Amino acid sequence: MNIGIIGAGQVAQAFAHKAIGAGHTVILSSRRGPDNLAALVEGLGPSATAATPAKVAENPVVLLAVPWPEVDAALRSLPTWHGQILIDATNGFGENGLVDFDDGSSSETVAALAPGAHVVKAMNSLFMANFALEPISDGFRRVVFVAGDDSAAKTEVADLFESFGFASIDLGTLRKGGRMQAVGSTLAGHDFFLPWPAPRSFPAFNGER
Ligand SMILES: NC(=O)c1ccc[n+]([C@@H]2O[C@H](COP(=O)([O-])OP(=O)(O)OC[C@H]3O[C@@H](n4cnc5c(N)ncnc54)[C@H](OP(=O)(O)O)[C@@H]3O)[C@@H](O)[C@H]2O)c1
């Protein structure tokens, strides 16, 4: 699959390595233009290219990996979305710390800035140093949380991360699930592992050890 990436920093590169390893093709972009990404693209190998953010956004799956203060400018510069999946890996914090989204979530803001895209929040709760590690260890898989309002898009993103070797956990809607995995939440910054294939249900804890 061709996957566009808006951003070419830590998150973009960690994702690109995993995607290429799973047989996908990535197209990276940044503020400074494709020519500035020549060395990065060369290092990633023949499955990576660079383009403008507008070109990148034409792909069926697009990863958003820019700092929160740049999200608005990055998304407003793009052509109209027509049903592509937008994976939101961003975290809502800037120079003044955590951004207050009241009862909403940062990914709802992203979705409002990308009408026509199916936004799925994922990856943001993991430190990239950990995401970059081998996701499978002793029969357990590192978890990537997904949240979104479109079930088909969420399944596709879960399948994508599973193709990289991760386990996925669906946290629900962009609002509820997005808040659960947002920066500052209890899930954020922690590594979770699941036996894989995951059991359909976990035995109820009966108080005995
Ligand atoms: N680093 C982590 O461990 C981690 C983990 C989870 C989530 N996150 C979140 O993921 C997002 C990206 O983090 P990062 O660590 O990858 O940041 P980063 O290393 O600073 O890279 C940011 C990238 O975004 C590009 N960019 C900035 N503004 C842009 C615009 N308007 N249009 C297109 N590209 C633009 C930059 O390009 P230029 O260099 O040309 O400006 C740069 O390539 C942030 O929201 C962060 O909170 C980070």
Side-chain angles (χ1 to χ4, degrees):
M1 187 200 309
N2 290 339
I3 306 175
I5 306 179
I6 302 172
Q10 262 197 49
V11 171
Q13 292 177 37
F15 178 92
H17 277 289
K18 296 289 186 204
I20 290 169
H24 302 288
T25 298
V26 297
I27 310 98
L28 294 114
S29 64
S30 76
R31 234 178 340 195
R32 288 170 294 160
D35 290 347
N36 265 289
L37 302 178
L40 171 63
V41 160
E42 194 185 338
L44 285 166
S47 296
T49 52
T52 62
K55 264 291 186 212
V56 152
E58 290 174 4
N59 287 283
V61 175
V62 180
L63 175 75
L64 179 64
V66 305
W68 184 258
E70 284 299 324
V71 164
D72 189 285
L75 291 177
R76 281 190 202 279
S77 71
L78 303 178
T80 309
W81 294 85
H82 47 89
Q84 304 100 303
I85 292 174
L86 180 61
I87 304 173
D88 176 22
T90 66
N91 276 317
F93 69 86
E95 281 174 13
N96 299 320
L98 291 180
V99 178
D100 183 0
F101 296 97
D102 292 322
D103 292 334
S105 73
S106 62
S107 288
E108 288 182 309
T109 301
V110 167
L113 289 165
H118 297 304
V119 175
V120 177
K121 189 173 191 68
M123 247 182 109
N124 70 290
S125 65
L126 289 164
F127 286 115
M128 284 308 102
N130 294 340
F131 179 87
L133 298 172
E134 172 55 52
I136 305 173
S137 173
D138 291 333
F140 286 78
R141 291 189 177 216
R142 183 175 278 105
V143 168
V144 170
F145 296 111
V146 294
D149 297 337
D150 182 282
S151 295
K154 204 160 42 172
T155 300
E156 195 167 332
V157 172
D159 288 347
L160 179 66
F161 283 104
E162 287 176 19
S163 79
F164 298 175
F166 292 92
S168 68
I169 292 182
D170 180 353
L171 293 177
T173 60
L174 271 192
R175 174 163 296 192
K176 199 172 157 200
R179 286 172 68 87
M180 283 171 77
Q181 62 179 303
V183 60
S185 73
T186 29
L187 296 182
H190 296 290
D191 257 356
F192 296 90
F193 288 84
L194 271 184
W196 200 258
R200 289 210 168 262
S201 62
F202 291 95
F205 176 58
N206 62 8
E208 293 171 16
R209 297 225 169 235

